[in-house]
Amino acid sequence: MVINETLRLYPPGAIISREALEDMKFGKLDVPKGVNIWLMPVTLHQDPEIWGPDAHKFNPERFANGVSGACKFPHVYLPFGFGPHTCLGQHFALAELKLLLALALSNFTFSPSPNYRHCPSLSLIIEPKYGVNLIVRRL
Ligand code: HEM
């Protein structure tokens, strides 16, 4: 739940792009062949119409019943992309994250340092602009 919620608020893959291979129509929108369509998961992941009024809050419990229990339209949760080009490392990355978190949390406590500045910023991926300054104590 914590990993899902972190990837919801801060999906590292900020932009998912697809090229129209032929002239297409989405509702009233005409997309000519060759145009690149960019999807921004972070916008879809924080829409209160989809996630409810607490869409901007960190609330891992929203995933207690999976992605379909967390929002109105589960297909807009795209931390690993979608379709034939969905992330090949998705299952490996999730297993690795669970292992790392379990190992780290069973040996250390973490709290934000007074120097920490919360500033997710968009470059090639979404990343903390000023790093993540933490106070780490051995258990
Ligand atoms: C939390 C970690 C990761 C995140 C959030 C992530 C996210 C993504 C996203 C958003 C895409 C684009 C998907 C699309 O266009 O629909 C992607 C593609 C890809 N990822 Fe990851 N990824 C992660 C870890 C990994 C790891 C560990 C590997 C390899 C071991 C990996 C290998 C790939 C590959 C090969 C593609 C290109 C797939 C294609 O174009 O067919 N990723 N990833």
Side-chain angles (χ1 to χ4, degrees):
M1 290 192 286
V2 166
I3 294 170
N4 276 345
E5 182 68 339
T6 306
L7 290 172
R8 181 184 74 84
L9 286 174
Y10 311 109
I15 294 159
I16 297 173
S17 75
R18 295 288 187 268
E19 182 185 332
L21 296 179
E22 54 191 55
D23 291 343
M24 303 180 82
K25 201 168 173 64
F26 294 107
K28 290 178 183 163
L29 191 69
D30 287 311
V31 180
K33 181 181 172 183
V35 164
N36 254 297
I37 303 163
W38 283 18
L39 283 175
M40 310 266 308
V42 75
T43 313
L44 294 168
H45 287 184
Q46 294 192 30
D47 185 338
E49 299 260 321
I50 299 169
W51 299 89
D54 68 343
H56 301 294
K57 292 209 174 118
F58 184 77
N59 173 19
E61 292 296 323
R62 76 175 78 243
F63 284 99
N65 295 312
V67 177
S68 45
C71 64
K72 263 194 206 162
F73 310 114
H75 55 280
V76 305
Y77 182 61
L78 301 170
F80 293 100
F82 65 96
H85 285 282
T86 198
C87 175
L88 282 183
Q90 171 173 359
H91 300 292
F92 174 68
L94 287 173
E96 201 178 31
L97 278 168
K98 282 178 201 163
L99 262 175
L100 273 173
L101 266 179
L103 271 174
L105 293 175
S106 55
N107 287 296
F108 302 96
T109 62
F110 299 87
S111 50
S113 140
N115 299 330
Y116 175 69
R117 283 170 72 187
H118 189 70
C119 188
S121 82
L122 174 60
S123 50
L124 189 59
I125 58 168
I126 294 182
E127 56 190 357
K129 187 167 182 184
Y130 305 110
V132 181
N133 296 324
L134 295 172
I135 297 171
V136 180
R137 291 200 176 88
R138 186 176 281 279
L139 280 172

